[in-house]
């Protein structure tokens, strides 16, 4: 096979996540895609027209013009960002102190982002853990559980399990949960020291609420408790033991030595806070899993007669992801031991991606057919390429340090200012993508297949709705399952389409308010959430006013109209994310004023919008090509 074939396989959607190339029905009813083999030369089973895709435009004169724009514009974007990061630039001395020694061509590295630097500085230690954890599991399997459940090959052939409660599946579940529980305890203690007791107490209280309260109270109690925990963790700063000691020991009018000694035990416990003393920051991910367990258990009580998989007589070893999520686990599996293993599952504990409880239990019972050595290896290579990309960007484009230093903005041209904001957003995308892919890679090596969080590059998005389906995708799917759909989604009132749009808008506001508060309880992110909700409305209204079905005879005109609207969408998404994750409202004001505060700036904005229009048309055609190949990603 040719080198180009391997490159194509490496960057294929199937390597990224088989959910994009697989049917939603059970895997045993559809062919499997093996990344180790070349793609079939047979024509696709569905022609382009039946899949809804238009004829290809890649070789049309229009797109050759677009290629020319790309050839000219993209190198200029990188060059202007590199130029403002040179030591010769007048603003360089203002942020030079924020740069660190680098390792590429004698350049310094911009490691000034605190969130990413904590990941970057600990990469060697995390790779030791990445290798140690799966090896330790395999060693324990070999020593203590050899022969207790069938091999992966037998399972993959669909001959291992004859029912959802087979002894082989139960044995595999029990073995994996035992390992996950003991490893999670060690991992938790190493991370948080004595604060791990606080984590365990909160988890236990949530479990009691979810399984002991009257059934009708479970959803309300779950949401009140977990949102309350988010606020309490923030305002109480993780409940330091010193504060607890002060509360327990009433302060006398004249503190003496005995009082100081009685307070000492709290400070002593706080001193052993583990590698990450601020446990409350990471606990936000655990809150999502806690809600998932309680609501999955609550919904399972409606299906006491049998799960959808049992009713359809599906092979439980070959369920699709949708069936794994929607099919409740056996009642006995909603135990505290399984709940503990799920909420503290080590590869996904720190940052996700997020698995539902039902999906986790199903994958413990039956190893997913999507987890193969070849695919995991290719995914790991993609992670290393992404990591190298981030290193090159941080060594040559110092946008994070520039924004932190608040330099003299008037020294930059409108083009330079816009590229500072543009590459800042790309660094935000990369700094989130890398931890998520690392931890997903760890889970894949451990035999668990969580969803891919970052589906498309940040620059390959024109729809606000689709962007949020693909950005932190596992969180989006969690929100749809546990918030958006229970709130009613965009369900109409009878035949009233407008009511469905209004309801969807209100639910978007509720969703993004929760997402903002979940990220961090501060005004900047709350403004971000409300801006996102506001910027989604034009797209929703445009879809209502310009429905695609009414433009079937004027497809080219519709494509141009959509392209113009998409340019506005992109600008709004950039503004919202710069406010929420980079420079805030004050920084945005200075940035926008520097770009549009002159005639030359307005000319640049018009030129930039034309370039964005070209990019949008290429994005449209990319999605049409996916439809021709039978892929519909919904983002």
């Amino acid at each position: 096979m040719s080198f180009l074939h391997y490159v194509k396989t490496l960057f294929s959607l199937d390597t990224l996540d088989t959910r994009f190339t697989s049917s939603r029905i059970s895997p045993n009813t559809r062919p499997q895609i093996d990344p180790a083999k070349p793609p079939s030369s047979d024509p696709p089973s569905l022609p382009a027209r039946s899949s809804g895709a238009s004829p290809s435009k890649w070789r049309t004169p229009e797109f050759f013009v677009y290629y020319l724009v790309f050839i000219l514009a993209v190198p200029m974007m990188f060059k202007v960002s590199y130029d403002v990061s040179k030591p010769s630039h007048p603003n360089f001395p203002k942020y030079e102190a924020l740069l660190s020694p680098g390792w590429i061509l004698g350049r310094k590295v911009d490691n000034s982002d605190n969130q990413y630097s904590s990941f970057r500085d600990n990469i060697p230690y995390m790779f030791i853990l990445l290798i140690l954890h799966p090896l330790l599991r395999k060693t324990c399997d070999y020593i203590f559980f050899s022969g207790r459940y069938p091999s992966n090959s037998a399972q993959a052939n669909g001959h291992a399990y004859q029912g959802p409660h087979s002894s082989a599946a139960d044995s595999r579940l029990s073995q994996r949960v035992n390992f996950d529980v003991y490893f999670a305890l060690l991992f938790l203690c190493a991370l948080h020291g004595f604060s791990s007791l606080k984590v365990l107490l909160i988890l236990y209280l949530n479990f009691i609420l979810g399984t002991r309260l009257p059934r009708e109270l479970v959803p309300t109690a779950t949401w009140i408790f977990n949102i309350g925990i988010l606020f309490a963790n923030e305002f109480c700063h993780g409940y330091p033991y010193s504060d607890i000691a002060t509360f327990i020991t009433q302060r006398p009018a004249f503190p003496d030595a005995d009082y100081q000694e009685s307070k000492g035990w709290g400070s002593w416990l706080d001193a052993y806070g583990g590698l990450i003393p601020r446990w409350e920051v990471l606990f936000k991910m655990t809150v999502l899993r806690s809600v998932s367990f309680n609501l999955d258990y609550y919904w399972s009580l409606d299906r006491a007669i049998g799960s959808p998989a049992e009713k359809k007589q599906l092979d439980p070893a070959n369920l699709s992801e949708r069936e794994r999520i929607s099919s409740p686990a056996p009642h006995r599996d909603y135990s505290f031991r399984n709940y503990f293993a799920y909420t503290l599952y080590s590869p996904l504990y720190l940052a996700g991606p997020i698995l539902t409880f039902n999906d986790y239990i199903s994958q413990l019972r039956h190893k997913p057919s999507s987890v193969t050595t070849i695919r995991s290896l290719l995914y790991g290579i993609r992670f290393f390429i992404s990591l190298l990309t981030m290193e090159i960007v941080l060594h040559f484009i110092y946008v994070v340090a520039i924004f932190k230093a608040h330099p003299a903005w008037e020294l930059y041209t409108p083009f330079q200012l816009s590229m500072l904001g543009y590459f800042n957003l790309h660094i935000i995308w990369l700094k989130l993508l890398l931890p998520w892919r690392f931890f997903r890679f760890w889970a894949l090596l451990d035999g668990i297949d969580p969803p891919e969080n970052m589906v498309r590059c940040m620059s390959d998005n024109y729809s606000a709705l689709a962007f949020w389906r693909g950005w932190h995708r596992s969180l989006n799917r969690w929100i749809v399952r546990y918030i958006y759909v229970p709130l009613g989604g965009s369900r109409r009132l009878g035949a009233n389409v407008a009511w469905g749009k209004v309801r969807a808008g209100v639910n978007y506001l509720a969703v993004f308010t929760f997402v903002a508060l979940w990220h961090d309880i501060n005004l900047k992110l709350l403004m971000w959430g409300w801006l996102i909700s506001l910027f989604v409305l034009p797209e929703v209204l445009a879809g209502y006013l310009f429905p695609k079905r009414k433009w079937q005879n004027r497809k080219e005109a519709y494509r141009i109209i959509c392209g113009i609207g998409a340019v506005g969408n992109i600008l709004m998404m950039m503004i919202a994310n710069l406010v929420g994750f980079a420079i805030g409202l004050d920084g945005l004001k200075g940035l926008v004023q520097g770009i549009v505060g002159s005639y030359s700036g307005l000319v640049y904005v018009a030129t930039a919008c034309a370039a964005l229009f070209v990019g949008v048309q290429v994005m449209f055609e990319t999605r049409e090509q996916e439809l021709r190949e039978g892929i519909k990603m919904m983002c």
Side-chain angles (χ1 to χ4, degrees):
M1 288 180 283
S2 67
F3 173 75
L4 289 178
H5 165 70
Y6 280 111
V7 172
K8 185 177 179 180
T9 302
L10 177 64
F11 290 99
S12 68
L13 283 173
D14 191 63
T15 297
L16 186 64
D17 194 336
T18 58
R19 292 166 177 84
F20 303 127
T21 54
S22 302
S23 169
R24 294 178 182 269
I25 60 177
S26 296
N28 57 331
T29 63
R30 56 175 168 77
Q32 294 292 319
I33 302 174
D34 187 350
K37 298 179 181 179
S40 172
S41 58
D42 297 335
S45 57
L46 289 174
R49 293 189 183 276
S50 66
S51 66
S54 61
S56 174
K57 297 181 177 64
W58 293 120
R59 297 181 180 276
T60 60
E62 175 190 358
F63 269 71
F64 280 109
V65 174
Y66 296 163
Y67 301 150
L68 179 62
V69 173
F70 268 78
I71 292 172
L72 295 175
V74 174
M76 287 175 60
M77 293 164 65
F78 280 92
K79 181 181 184 303
V80 75
S81 303
Y82 171 70
D83 287 342
V84 299
S85 302
K86 287 181 177 179
S88 57
H89 194 276
N91 273 330
F92 184 80
K94 294 186 177 182
Y95 62 83
E96 184 179 10
L98 297 174
L99 305 179
S100 306
W103 58 274
I104 299 179
L105 300 178
R107 295 275 300 182
K108 290 188 175 183
V109 61
D110 184 358
N111 197 31
S112 59
D113 184 283
N114 295 330
Q115 184 181 17
Y116 182 70
S117 65
S118 63
F119 173 80
R120 183 179 184 269
D121 296 343
N122 288 290
I123 285 177
Y125 308 106
M126 289 190 293
F127 267 103
I128 293 174
L129 198 59
L130 176 83
I131 297 170
L132 180 63
H133 176 264
L135 287 179
L136 188 59
R137 185 190 291 278
K138 290 182 182 298
T139 302
C140 291
D141 287 353
Y142 179 79
I143 295 175
F144 301 108
F145 299 99
S146 180
R148 291 280 297 276
Y149 55 85
S151 65
N152 292 337
S153 59
Q155 180 177 312
N157 292 330
H159 301 304
Y161 305 106
Q162 304 302 319
H165 310 310
S166 69
S167 59
D170 288 342
S171 177
R172 187 177 194 273
L173 171 67
S174 177
Q175 175 268 319
R176 287 190 63 95
V177 166
N178 284 338
F179 181 88
D180 287 344
V181 166
Y182 291 125
F183 193 92
L185 278 172
L186 295 174
F187 192 55
L188 193 67
C189 292
L191 289 177
H192 306 316
F194 283 110
S195 289
S196 58
L197 297 175
K198 305 169 191 174
V199 174
L200 297 177
L201 175 60
I202 295 173
L203 290 179
Y204 179 72
L205 292 176
N206 180 77
F207 178 80
I208 294 298
L209 289 175
T211 58
R212 305 288 175 82
L213 284 179
R215 181 183 177 279
E216 62 274 10
L217 299 179
V218 169
T220 303
T222 294
W223 283 111
I224 291 175
F225 176 76
N226 283 282
I227 291 177
I229 284 295
L230 286 177
F231 277 88
N233 287 352
E234 179 74 18
F235 295 135
C236 297
H237 309 291
Y239 325 105
Y241 284 109
S242 57
D243 290 353
I244 296 174
T246 301
F247 177 79
I248 294 174
T249 307
Q250 293 186 357
R251 180 182 177 89
F254 301 98
D256 54 13
D258 292 336
Y259 170 75
Q260 296 297 335
E261 184 177 349
S262 66
K263 275 187 59 180
W265 66 268
S267 300
W268 182 83
L269 291 175
D270 287 334
Y272 294 92
L275 298 173
I276 306 177
R278 293 194 62 199
W279 64 273
E280 69 274 13
V281 176
L282 299 175
F283 194 76
K284 296 170 185 177
M285 298 298 302
T286 310
V287 163
L288 302 181
R289 290 187 281 266
S290 297
V291 171
S292 175
F293 172 84
N294 281 11
L295 295 186
D296 280 3
Y297 173 71
Y298 167 77
W299 288 324
S300 75
L301 300 177
D302 290 331
R303 297 174 176 172
I305 298 176
S307 70
E310 291 174 313
K311 292 177 181 178
K312 297 177 184 178
Q313 296 184 334
L314 299 175
D315 180 1
N318 286 289
L319 297 178
S320 69
E321 184 197 32
R322 171 177 286 185
E323 291 156 349
R324 293 198 306 263
I325 292 173
S326 62
S327 299
H331 185 74
R332 65 181 182 276
D333 285 346
Y334 293 94
S335 64
F336 183 75
R337 185 190 67 148
N338 292 352
Y339 163 74
F340 182 94
Y342 163 67
T343 52
L344 300 178
Y345 177 57
S346 299
L348 306 181
Y349 171 72
L350 292 172
I354 305 159
L355 274 177
T356 68
F357 178 79
N358 288 344
D359 196 0
Y360 172 76
I361 291 297
S362 178
Q363 293 197 43
L364 292 195
R365 285 181 169 276
H366 316 284
K367 181 179 178 180
S369 58
S370 58
V371 178
T372 65
T373 302
I374 293 294
R375 187 175 284 113
S376 298
L377 177 62
L378 292 175
Y379 188 84
I381 294 173
R382 285 188 67 159
F383 166 77
F384 278 108
I385 292 173
S386 301
L387 182 63
L388 181 59
T389 300
M390 182 63 148
E391 285 296 299
I392 292 173
V393 170
L394 293 180
H395 276 79
F396 290 92
I397 302 176
Y398 300 146
V399 294
V400 178
I402 290 172
F403 275 109
K404 280 197 168 189
H406 302 289
W409 298 114
E410 62 273 11
L411 296 178
Y412 298 107
T413 67
F415 187 19
Q416 291 171 338
L417 285 171
S418 63
M419 288 301 100
L420 288 175
Y422 179 77
F423 277 97
N424 201 333
L425 288 174
H426 274 79
I427 289 175
I428 292 171
W429 178 75
L430 277 168
K431 80 172 185 179
L432 295 174
L433 175 140
L434 288 168
W436 284 335
R437 285 201 174 169
F438 174 85
F439 292 120
R440 182 169 184 255
F441 180 42
W442 180 2
L444 288 172
L445 293 179
D446 192 44
I448 296 293
D449 185 7
E452 172 65 25
N453 261 346
M454 291 294 201
V455 178
R456 296 190 190 273
C457 175
M458 193 210 77
S459 292
D460 188 16
N461 287 278
Y462 60 85
S463 163
L465 292 172
F467 175 77
W468 292 112
R469 293 190 197 108
W471 177 288
H472 204 167
R473 182 168 170 267
S474 66
L475 175 61
N476 175 270
R477 289 150 61 92
W478 183 95
I479 287 170
V480 169
R481 176 171 172 81
Y482 298 110
I483 300 180
Y484 187 70
V485 171
L487 285 176
S490 57
R491 194 163 56 239
R492 304 175 186 176
L493 186 62
N496 193 334
V497 178
W499 169 251
K501 301 296 182 183
V502 172
R503 186 172 192 168
V506 173
N507 289 339
Y508 289 144
L509 181 62
V511 162
F512 282 110
T513 299
F514 169 80
V515 171
L517 294 175
W518 176 79
H519 275 93
D520 201 358
I521 301 173
N522 64 47
L523 181 60
K524 186 172 78 170
L525 278 174
L526 199 57
M527 290 296 297
W528 164 83
W530 292 341
L531 279 174
I532 292 296
S533 303
L534 178 64
F535 291 163
V536 162
L537 290 180
E539 183 176 344
V540 174
L541 293 174
Y544 177 66
L545 296 173
F546 300 92
K548 186 176 182 180
R549 66 181 183 277
K550 293 185 177 181
W551 293 77
Q552 291 302 312
N553 297 326
R554 292 175 291 172
K555 290 185 178 181
E556 291 302 305
Y558 186 70
R559 178 166 65 90
I560 300 301
I561 293 173
C562 289
I564 295 171
V567 170
N569 255 357
I570 292 172
L571 294 175
M572 288 188 291
M573 286 191 291
M574 291 178 68
I575 289 171
N577 285 300
L578 282 171
V579 169
F581 295 102
I583 58 180
L585 284 172
D586 293 336
L588 179 69
K589 181 180 178 181
L591 186 66
V592 172
Q593 187 175 1
I595 294 175
V596 300
S598 63
Y599 176 76
S600 61
L602 293 174
V603 172
Y604 166 74
V605 170
T607 306
C609 287
L612 285 175
F613 179 84
V614 170
V616 165
Q617 295 304 319
V618 174
M619 295 180 211
F620 287 168
E621 187 61 19
T622 299
R623 284 150 181 79
E624 290 294 309
Q625 182 64 37
E626 290 169 356
L627 284 177
R628 296 181 199 111
E629 297 172 0
I631 298 170
K632 191 172 184 180
M633 294 177 61
M634 302 298 292
C635 62

